[in-house]
Amino acid sequence: GTHPSRRPTGRAPGRIRVTALKIARGNDRRTAEEFARETNVTLSTEGGRCRIQVRYPQRRQVKVGLWEMMSGEYEFPGVEVRLTLEVPRSLPINLRSTSGDLLTQEMAGRQELDTTSGEIEVNEAGGPVRATTTSGDVRVSARGWARLRSVSGSLLADAVGGPLDAHTTSGELVVRVAEDSLDLGTVSGDIRVHRAPRGIVASTTSGQIETREAAGVVRLSTSSGDVDVRLVEPLARVEVTSSSGDISARLAGGLRCDVELRTSNGTLDTSVPLDVRTMS
């Protein structure tokens, strides 16, 4: 299978340097050498864009004896190519892979990364980041805004300086350090946010939501799961809902607000002094 790993490092000003590593496997040396020889890496420039293409060996018939398969010592032939790119730090990059991981390090320009089956990792990005994968995890640290998507995988934002838009179908969503607004969503998975100083909108169908520190406009909703949120100043508006689960809202000291509590089937408890206006 393919496993392209692209790592722009920005060590060659004004130039793009590409290194390709072939890893061929086979039950014997001759077969492995044939697969490596038939795997070609080509580089071309089209309209100011650098295009790198890997051509793998075409379909081949491999004869394997029953005894070899049952012994567990036979290794089916295959080849893997790992690509390393060194580009100028400020160069906008657009990386696409069908089956492979994508990794970038300390890029200052805009980044767009797409892979069908693989993981994406973006470290210390200076510009905006858009990362999409069908099956794989995404991990990002960026000083600008970020838009993250995954169908089957977890999303992890180590540190994001701009607005964050992150959604996954099946996986956990974790935000550690955020400086701007958050728009988060997952169908089947938990959402955990350490800090949301400028507002958060988060929803999950089957999972829990935990926010240790939230301010601004806060909207949290889950169909089947618990919600645990700590609210701090400056606070604009808060809406927390759960169809089937417990809600725990903790208010920072000195926080003044109007509170409206409703439940269809459950208990309402409060440990802070309230001036009750209506109750039913």
Side-chain angles (χ1 to χ4, degrees):
T2 59
H3 186 104
S5 177
R6 299 173 170 88
R7 186 190 184 101
T9 59
R11 297 176 182 173
R15 293 178 177 269
I16 296 177
R17 180 179 179 181
V18 181
T19 304
L21 173 64
K22 299 179 184 179
I23 302 176
R25 299 181 178 88
N27 201 47
D28 56 80
R29 184 178 181 86
R30 181 180 62 83
T31 302
E33 289 178 347
E34 289 180 359
F35 269 74
R37 186 168 53 253
E38 296 176 7
T39 302
N40 298 316
V41 181
T42 60
L43 186 149
S44 62
T45 55
E46 302 173 1
R49 292 174 176 266
C50 176
R51 178 180 177 85
I52 302 170
Q53 189 170 8
V54 180
R55 292 185 174 87
Y56 291 92
Q58 300 300 314
R59 293 181 177 273
R60 301 182 56 175
Q61 289 186 346
V62 180
K63 296 182 178 180
V64 184
L66 181 61
W67 174 253
E68 290 179 298
M69 292 185 62
M70 294 182 63
S71 66
E73 298 179 356
Y74 184 83
E75 183 175 11
F76 282 93
V79 64
E80 166 186 337
V81 177
R82 296 180 180 177
L83 301 178
T84 302
L85 279 70
E86 298 183 21
V87 306
R89 295 187 188 278
S90 60
L91 185 71
I93 59 174
N94 187 328
L95 304 182
R96 298 178 183 273
S97 174
T98 301
S99 176
D101 300 336
L102 301 177
L103 168 65
T104 68
Q105 182 76 32
E106 297 180 4
M107 296 300 298
R110 182 186 182 95
Q111 300 185 52
E112 296 190 13
L113 303 98
D114 294 275
T115 177
T116 302
S117 177
E119 298 183 355
I120 297 177
E121 182 175 344
V122 178
N123 296 310
E124 302 179 41
V129 175
R130 186 184 64 81
T132 304
T133 177
T134 302
S135 176
D137 299 337
V138 179
R139 182 168 187 167
V140 171
S141 62
R143 289 191 290 272
W145 62 262
R147 183 179 185 272
L148 315 179
R149 293 290 187 274
S150 178
V151 176
S152 177
S154 299
L155 304 179
L156 171 60
D158 284 326
V160 178
L164 172 64
D165 180 350
H167 288 76
T168 178
T169 302
S170 176
E172 186 181 35
L173 207 161
V174 179
V175 180
R176 290 179 176 167
V177 179
E179 301 296 335
D180 212 311
S181 60
L182 304 176
D183 184 357
L184 314 175
T186 176
V187 176
S188 176
D190 298 338
I191 297 178
R192 293 188 288 117
V193 178
H194 290 219
R195 184 170 177 265
R198 299 189 63 181
I200 176 175
V201 177
S203 64
T204 175
T205 302
S206 176
Q208 300 180 354
I209 299 178
E210 178 186 354
T211 306
R212 297 183 181 178
E213 186 176 309
V217 176
V218 179
R219 292 190 177 95
L220 310 177
S221 64
T222 175
S223 297
S224 177
D226 299 339
V227 179
D228 187 345
V229 56
R230 181 175 181 269
L231 305 171
V232 299
E233 291 280 15
L235 204 59
R237 181 177 178 85
V238 179
E239 296 179 9
V240 183
T241 62
S242 177
S243 300
S244 176
D246 297 334
I247 296 177
S248 174
R250 290 166 288 132
L251 309 180
L255 185 63
R256 297 177 60 85
C257 60
D258 293 335
V259 180
E260 180 180 339
L261 307 176
R262 295 183 181 180
T263 179
S264 298
N265 183 17
T267 304
L268 300 175
D269 296 324
T270 176
S271 59
V272 296
L274 295 179
D275 179 13
V276 180
R277 297 178 184 174
T278 61
M279 180 173 58
S280 61

